[in-house]
Amino acid sequence: MKGFTAALLVWSLLSLSRSSHKAWPTHTVCRDGNLEVLYQSCDPLQDFGFSVDQCSKHLKPNLNIRFGIILREDIKELFLDVALFNKGSSILNFSYPICEEDLPKFSFCGRRKGEQIYFAGPISNPGFEILQGEYQVLLELYNENHFTVACANATIICS
């Protein structure tokens, strides 16, 4: 009976903490005079870490990032969907394969549930200038079975 009571106590505490948890904290990716980038995990079960080395409205073609997460799903294949909005209107949508079964681009491709991903290094992107305004970005990483690996709502404020 002691084991059951202890299990009930642990379950009650975990349930209480989950029910009072409304949202993950808002994280600052970067902040510089004219640019601020914030994000919040939209996955109800886990948060993750993300940062960039450069915080400039003149985005360079190679951007150094850091990303860390513990996987809840295997990632034989991994895809990124990005949706960019300004004043409620969609201005850009695209999908990008990060890990393909026959073409793994990163060392973490093929990792299994429970393993940790930590990536620190450059990513290629088209260099461009971020125009003045406030933008909302929805980012979703998902695997070959369309299970969410990570999800974020980001805000970009450029003055």
Side-chain angles (χ1 to χ4, degrees), residues 44-63:
L45 299 177
Q46 93 177 17
D47 201 359
F48 63 91
F50 179 79
S51 66
V52 296
D53 286 350
Q54 172 202 9
C55 192
S56 169
K57 61 189 217 173
H58 304 286
L59 197 61
K60 294 181 181 174
N62 284 317
L63 185 64

Side-chain angles (χ1 to χ4, degrees), residues 71 73-78 99 108-113 117 142-144 149:
L71 294 174
E73 301 290 340
D74 294 349
I75 54 167
K76 189 184 310 180
E77 294 184 312
L78 186 64
C99 298
F108 56 77
C109 295
R111 294 267 173 99
R112 318 266 283 136
K113 179 179 179 176
I117 289 178
Y142 58 93
N143 72 2
E144 66 278 4
V149 173

